[in-house]
């Protein structure tokens, strides 16, 4: 009985906090960033849980101390912010992979829980003469269009990096057992020919091994994507320099 009263009290207290969540500076930083980046979905926070527009909830921090690999394989929402995405860092240090950890259930919830569900939200975007598919959800496709407009201003010599892009594909991360951001229609790979991927240069290495950083994609391209809410695989120790991913929560203040 006593437990039940406590539970009821906690529940009503939770509702009170929820009403003030939008302006409460005591919210975890990551929650504030999620609310600002995904206003259509993330509506509030109470009792350690993020509240969605459909009334469902998701634990923000599971409280577990995770190793690098555990964080990559089963990130909660809080783990996505464990390494801050610093646009001043150009050559990443050991295991510096900002945004590479994704809370899969969060992305499934917003973009679709299956290949066909994700596909129902895809729209066509003009990519330098190529038609590519991208998620309309959260303004991702519109942000990609803004990227195209800005990339078009670069000298013609940059075009070779951009041609032959690929986007949606419901698949696991290369060499790993977790879903790639391409599965949600929020990632684009630019020209593979001028790109580098850590596993291609270091076959057989594990994620904990030391590798040598490599990148040929010009910084101007990277910075244009970032201005529109995309993170870049050029920033990662586990470099994937063709890869750009719509993750506005990592770029908002
Ligand atoms: Zn990619």
């Amino acid at each position: 009985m006593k437990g039940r009263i406590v539970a009821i009290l906690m529940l009503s207290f939770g509702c009170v906090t929820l009403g003030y969540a939008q302006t409460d500076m005591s919210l975890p930083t990551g929650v504030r960033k999620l609310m600002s980046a995904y206003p259509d979905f993330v509506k509030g926070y109470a009792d350690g849980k993020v509240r969605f527009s459909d009334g469902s909830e998701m634990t923000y921090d599971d409280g577990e101390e995770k190793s690098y690999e555990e964080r990559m394989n089963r990130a909660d929402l809080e783990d996505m912010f464990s390494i801050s995405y610093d646009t001043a860092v150009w050559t990443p240090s050991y295991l510096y992979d900002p945004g590479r950890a994704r809370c899969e259930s969060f992305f499934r919830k917003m973009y679709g829980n299956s290949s066909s569900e994700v596909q129902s939200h895809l729209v066509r975007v003009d990519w330098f003469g190529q038609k590519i598919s991208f998620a309309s959800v959260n303004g991702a496709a519109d942000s990609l269009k803004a990227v195209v407009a800005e990339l078009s201003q670069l000298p013609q010599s940059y075009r070779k990096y951009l041609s032959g892009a690929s986007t949606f594909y419901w698949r696991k991360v290369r060499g790993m057992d977790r879903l790639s951001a391409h599965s949600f229609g929020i990632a684009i790979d630019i020209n593979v020919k001028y790109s580098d991927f850590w596993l291609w240069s270091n076959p057989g290495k594990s994620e904990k091994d030391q590798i040598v950083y490599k990148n040929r994609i010009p910084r101007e391209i990277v910075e244009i994507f970032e201005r529109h809410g995309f993170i870049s695989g050029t920033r990662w120790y586990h470099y994937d320099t063709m890869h750009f991913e719509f993750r506005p929560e990592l770029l908002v203040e």
Side-chain angles (χ1 to χ4, degrees), residues 72-142:
M72 288 298 143
N73 289 321
R74 43 185 183 86
D76 61 15
L77 291 168
E78 185 247 352
D79 291 325
M80 301 205 293
F81 299 97
S82 58
I83 304 174
S84 74
Y85 190 90
D86 187 348
T87 54
V89 176
W90 188 237
T91 304
S93 54
Y94 179 61
L95 301 189
Y96 180 81
D97 285 338
R100 198 161 167 256
R102 290 174 210 93
C103 175
E104 197 174 296
S105 51
F106 178 67
F107 291 92
R108 281 178 180 266
K109 181 163 191 60
M110 294 194 295
Y111 296 102
N113 200 23
S114 65
S115 175
S116 59
E117 220 177 288
V118 172
Q119 283 181 68
S120 71
H121 301 131
L122 298 180
V123 292
R124 303 293 248 178
V125 175
D126 249 310
W127 182 263
F128 303 96
Q130 190 187 347
K131 291 273 184 210
I132 54 176
S133 300
F134 221 69
S136 58
V137 184
N138 291 321
D142 287 339

Side-chain angles (χ1 to χ4, degrees), residues 173-215:
V173 175
R174 290 180 188 97
M176 303 295 149
D177 191 34
R178 49 186 188 249
L179 272 182
S180 150
H182 289 275
S183 309
F184 304 113
I186 56 167
I188 176 169
D189 286 344
I190 59 173
N191 198 347
V192 172
K193 202 174 142 195
Y194 297 97
S195 301
D196 298 284
F197 178 60
W198 73 279
L199 257 186
W200 291 342
S201 319
N202 301 274
K205 291 259 179 166
S206 89
E207 282 183 309
K208 292 300 283 290
D209 290 328
Q210 299 268 357
I211 50 175
V212 177
Y213 179 72
K214 232 170 142 178
N215 173 42

